[in-house]
Amino acid sequence: MKKLSFLLLSIILTPALLPGQNSDGDDDPKRSTLDFSTGYFNYASIDALFSGNIYSGGAPFISVGYQKQKRTPTQTIFRLAYINRYPHSLNLHETVVPATSNLRLINHMHFEVDDFYFFPVPGLSRNNLTVSIMLNWFSSIDLTMNNRMMPEQLLSTIAPGFMMDFNHSRHHIQARVSTALISYTCRSNYSNTLPQDYEKLSIGRFIRINSRLQLPNSLQTIFSEINYKYSFSDKIGGVVYYNFRYLHNAKPRTLAAVSGTYGFGIYFKY
Amino acid sequence: MRTKYYLQILIWTTILAGCEQILLEEEFQNTPRDNFNALWQEFDHAYGAMHAKKLNWDSLKIVHGNTLANSATNKQLFDAMSGLLNEINDGHSDLTAPGVGYFRSWHRRDKSYYDDNYTQNLGKVGQHHSIIRKDYLNQQYQYISVDGWFFFYGTIERSNQKIGYLCIPTFYLGNFPDQFIQEAVESFQTMDAVIVDLRYNGGGTTEAFVKTLNLFASQPKVFLKSKFRNGPGHNDFSEFFDHRINPNPNCLQNMPVVILVNSFTASSSEHFVLGMKTQEKVITVGDTTCGAFSSVNERILPNGWKYRLGGQVLYTPDGNLLMDENGQYLEGIGLAPDYYIPDQWSSLEKGVDMPLERALIVVKDSLPF
């Protein structure tokens, strides 16, 4: 069990630990950026394993990011939110679905690690505009806390894409988009039954029997973000951003999920 | 000009904020036909026993749904859905429609708790248990009450024999009193036999019944196999999953056990019976059990009605479908007891519990097994 938990954490956290920030011997003292942000995270999904209905909700989130400017710029973002999600269109009767039922309310914990590697394309870059090919390693844990903490989905995906970066004076605008190429996922089985090792539920067994690798024929995503930064000085600045994601996973039954993240924060260069 | 441009961006951002979910679309809307189709389709895609029960699901959709119009009343929709579910005869398939009705697919749904006195009043069961405590345990018993469920055990003395008696009214508790059950088992270790009363025990969680089973069974065995639906085709199933007994180190050792059952002994209780029947010296007395074996999922229709279905199909340890001697899959049919003695209210009123009396005779006549 501990080994499996360690394996899971490794899968999720490895992208964050792999940037290799020191590999090019960069010694510029102000080429690293640390940012803290918060805002509002909206999430909605239809998970056919659980229901044919949309369950949606929103909640504040917290986020920490680290960025390194070097020959291959990298960025890592951690984001956490607890969301109460409610059925979008259902009129549920108290005597049929009690207040504590996850058919009425999903206590959803979302944690993600978003890791980026940028490869600038010199031919497409002009003056203040930089265009980069981007490799996005995105990992997320979505747990239903009031269903024995079972995952709606564990996801770790490699998503290539593009990034455009525009700088003018104190203004900095970045837009990026990527789509999943190869993904590790773990969701409940087709019959949505919890594996039980006799006396107790087994999260380790859940992961062991429900993990799979997926390609775009069964899992499609759009990950996108636009952000605006304003430098107050050469060390500190503010940031606002909107992040949009869409996911469609056909295995074992259809999960369609969409999220919108509205964030603002502060960054420090050092 | 630039201010106007920024203002437009701000307005559109505000309008679109939080509207991401408009990109999602529910397959079924809240119309009578869509509700019926949603129910039919979920069973088509996920119900485990389609083939085991030889159901022609496509035809049944036509039979029960074809005349349903979008102008249908809730009552008409409920009747159409009930008709469809009635074809299944499964103790775990049901439909709850607030303000309209409740329908259980189980064909014995109107069966009385007592053979000679029609009732489905749980209060009578409470009186029944009081009679056992008074007339068989002589008010000498240990008990624990959990969320309104009354568990109790004691000793019945007959013909110089000491027989342990334990009433387990449910396995449906997150805080199941397994410590109390273990204390009962410890107290039974020196007795001549044990009676486990599972009448009216409608089941509950796997964790609860497995812990109990592992306290009463001393031989490690596979007592059941099952498969789960893993695709929309009626023959799409997972590999076999083995249901095992792993005896607790403090389990009851090689003791004759009689299990009291009736038509309301369901689900996890029936799994307990199946597990115990792989052991030596185990007899069942009472009425045929409910026949609700599959693990069950709850789902909601677009109109807010709730239904349940099971995606599991059950097999014997040697890999054959769980069937009776007539070749009928046991979901909805139940497990026949070794001794058929239905509960009689008129006898209980005289202080005589007929199945329990037969259990005591079985124990007396059969010792040692």
Side-chain angles (χ1 to χ4, degrees):
Chain A
M1 177 62 196
K2 283 181 181 172
K3 283 181 183 174
L4 280 164
S5 302
F6 179 75
L7 177 67
L8 177 64
L9 276 174
S10 302
I11 289 167
I12 300 300
L13 294 177
T14 296
L17 302 175
L18 280 182
Q21 285 91 342
N22 299 318
S23 59
D24 60 356
D26 189 348
D27 57 1
D28 186 325
K30 290 194 182 58
R31 299 192 74 181
S32 295
T33 306
L34 190 64
D35 66 74
F36 301 92
S37 66
T38 186
Y40 204 73
F41 180 72
N42 277 316
Y43 185 91
S45 75
I46 303 177
D47 183 354
L49 290 174
F50 169 72
S51 173
N53 307 108
I54 296 173
Y55 281 74
S56 61
F61 69 89
I62 54 171
S63 176
V64 178
Y66 174 80
Q67 193 171 348
K68 181 80 173 177
Q69 290 296 334
K70 53 183 180 177
R71 191 172 301 151
T72 305
T74 63
Q75 185 178 11
T76 303
I77 300 165
F78 299 87
R79 192 169 288 149
L80 176 69
Y82 284 90
I83 314 156
N84 284 339
R85 291 163 55 204
Y86 301 90
H88 172 63
S89 59
L90 295 178
N91 181 18
L92 296 175
H93 201 279
E94 279 291 340
T95 57
V96 174
V97 183
T100 53
S101 168
N102 60 355
L103 290 167
R104 181 179 292 280
L105 165 66
I106 296 175
N107 297 133
H108 175 190
M109 190 205 81
H110 173 85
F111 176 69
E112 65 183 50
V113 181
D114 217 355
D115 206 65
F116 300 92
Y117 304 85
F118 302 107
F119 305 93
V121 183
L124 295 176
S125 301
R126 304 261 190 292
N127 301 324
N128 298 330
L129 178 71
T130 305
V131 176
S132 302
I133 291 172
M134 180 179 79
L135 197 62
N136 180 194
W137 189 345
F138 175 80
S139 300
S140 62
I141 299 173
D142 289 286
L143 300 181
T144 304
M145 306 301 283
N146 58 341
N147 182 24
R148 311 187 194 208
M149 292 181 62
M150 284 295 161
E152 176 172 300
Q153 179 170 259
L154 306 179
L155 170 69
S156 188
T157 186
I158 303 290
F162 294 95
M163 183 271 279
M164 285 198 305
D165 202 85
F166 178 76
N167 278 296
H168 178 68
S169 180
R170 291 170 177 269
H171 307 280
H172 179 108
I173 295 174
Q174 187 186 78
R176 58 187 185 228
V177 63
S178 61
T179 185
L181 183 64
I182 183 165
S183 309
Y184 158 87
T185 63
C186 180
R187 297 174 63 203
S188 189
N189 59 20
Y190 185 92
S191 287
N192 199 22
T193 48
L194 298 174
Q196 304 193 17
D197 276 351
Y198 317 121
E199 288 89 355
K200 62 179 181 181
L201 289 169
S202 169
I203 183 71
R205 192 157 179 273
F206 181 95
I207 292 170
R208 201 162 57 243
I209 64 179
N210 292 320
S211 293
R212 54 168 57 89
L213 283 178
Q214 292 185 247
L215 296 172
N217 62 334
S218 63
L219 188 142
Q220 304 90 35
T221 67
I222 298 169
F223 299 151
S224 65
E225 180 171 308
I226 184 163
N227 63 56
Y228 167 74
K229 288 179 180 171
Y230 180 82
S231 305
F232 301 127
S233 70
D234 63 346
K235 288 186 177 176
I236 191 167
V239 58
V240 294
Y241 56 89
Y242 172 67
N243 182 302
F244 170 81
R245 295 201 189 101
Y246 176 82
L247 176 142
H248 182 274
N249 186 353
K251 288 187 176 178
R253 295 183 73 179
T254 302
L255 168 69
V258 61
S259 70
T261 308
Y262 305 82
F264 65 95
I266 192 165
Y267 69 84
F268 304 93
K269 282 190 172 176
Y270 57 96
Chain B
M1 188 65 188
R2 182 173 285 185
T3 308
K4 196 175 171 182
Y5 177 69
Y6 285 132
L7 197 61
Q8 273 195 352
I9 291 177
L10 185 66
I11 289 168
W12 276 108
T13 305
T14 308
I15 289 171
L16 293 174
C19 293
E20 291 84 8
Q21 68 188 39
I22 61 173
L23 296 171
L24 303 179
E25 189 179 8
E26 293 169 345
E27 183 178 1
F28 296 104
Q29 306 304 307
N30 184 14
T31 66
R33 286 201 65 81
D34 263 15
N35 277 298
F36 181 88
N37 288 336
L39 179 78
W40 179 88
Q41 180 175 288
E42 188 56 30
F43 273 84
D44 187 53
H45 286 183
Y47 183 62
M50 282 290 176
H51 270 293
K53 285 185 162 285
K54 303 179 178 70
L55 294 167
N56 188 336
W57 202 237
D58 290 324
S59 297
L60 293 174
K61 182 184 184 184
I62 295 168
V63 169
H64 295 283
N66 243 21
T67 57
L68 191 72
N70 269 339
S71 57
T73 63
N74 277 344
K75 177 71 169 62
Q76 289 168 325
L77 176 61
F78 182 78
D79 288 345
M81 289 178 170
S82 301
L84 183 70
L85 294 185
N86 190 49
E87 305 280 358
I88 295 174
N89 185 26
D90 181 331
H92 269 156
S93 295
D94 59 18
L95 173 69
T96 308
V100 185
Y102 169 77
F103 183 84
R104 191 176 182 192
S105 168
W106 190 45
H107 285 180
R108 285 176 283 159
R109 59 187 164 274
D110 294 324
K111 188 175 171 75
S112 172
Y113 282 180
Y114 297 96
D115 212 37
D116 58 344
N117 184 330
Y118 186 84
T119 183
Q120 288 189 342
N121 179 1
L122 272 175
K124 288 250 181 187
V125 177
Q127 290 178 48
H128 183 163
H129 288 161
S130 296
I131 290 165
I132 293 171
R133 290 193 292 270
K134 176 172 161 284
D135 293 328
Y136 289 87
L137 302 179
N138 297 318
Q139 300 292 17
Q140 302 293 308
Y141 60 90
Q142 303 296 315
Y143 74 93
I144 188 169
S145 179
V146 185
D147 295 347
W149 296 96
F150 200 82
F151 297 71
F152 61 98
Y153 70 88
T155 306
I156 301 173
E157 298 195 19
R158 284 281 173 97
S159 310
N160 298 323
Q161 290 178 346
K162 285 190 171 181
I163 296 127
Y165 170 91
L166 169 65
C167 175
I168 304 174
T170 186
F171 290 113
Y172 192 74
L173 288 168
N175 51 344
F176 186 75
D178 38 276
Q179 185 60 37
F180 179 80
I181 305 290
Q182 185 157 344
E183 287 165 12
V185 168
E186 284 168 12
S187 79
F188 295 158
Q189 295 286 12
T190 56
M191 297 195 183
D192 298 302
V194 171
I195 295 170
V196 181
D197 195 342
L198 293 182
R199 289 174 292 180
Y200 313 103
N201 183 328
T205 69
T206 301
E207 299 99 306
F209 101 78
V210 171
K211 279 182 181 172
T212 307
L213 176 60
N214 289 342
L215 279 168
F216 279 91
S218 56
Q219 300 160 37
K221 284 188 175 177
V222 172
F223 67 91
L224 197 64
K225 286 175 182 278
S226 68
K227 291 180 176 181
F228 291 90
R229 281 288 289 270
N230 69 354
H234 292 182
N235 276 327
D236 292 337
F237 283 105
S238 66
E239 297 297 311
F240 274 123
F241 173 77
D242 288 343
H243 300 239
R244 294 175 185 278
I245 296 168
N246 292 318
N248 187 303
N250 300 315
C251 68
L252 198 65
Q253 292 296 328
N254 206 27
M255 176 95 57
V257 176
V258 180
I259 306 172
L260 299 179
V261 292
N262 65 13
S263 303
F264 301 91
T265 301
S267 196
S268 290
S269 293
E270 294 177 291
H271 282 240
F272 179 90
V273 173
L274 285 166
M276 288 301 291
K277 289 295 282 182
T278 65
Q279 307 291 297
E280 294 170 7
K281 306 178 186 176
V282 175
I283 297 288
T284 53
V285 173
D287 199 351
T288 303
T289 64
C290 172
F293 298 99
S294 172
S295 66
V296 66
N297 284 330
E298 288 184 350
R299 295 179 76 98
I300 302 290
L301 292 166
N303 62 359
W305 294 1
K306 185 174 78 175
Y307 66 100
R308 301 194 304 161
L309 79 166
Q312 193 178 22
V313 63
L314 283 300
Y315 295 81
T316 60
D318 48 7
N320 297 313
L321 268 177
L322 193 67
M323 293 193 291
D324 65 12
E325 56 195 22
N326 299 320
Q328 283 188 296
Y329 184 58
L330 287 181
E331 198 82 71
I333 304 291
L335 303 167
D338 296 313
Y339 292 89
Y340 173 71
I341 310 287
D343 293 292
Q344 303 280 343
W345 185 252
S346 53
S347 303
L348 274 171
E349 284 183 315
K350 295 171 192 158
V352 178
D353 183 328
M354 297 293 282
L356 181 51
E357 285 292 337
R358 175 54 70 94
L360 292 168
I361 292 168
V362 167
V363 164
K364 177 173 170 287
D365 290 349
S366 307
L367 284 176
F369 274 70

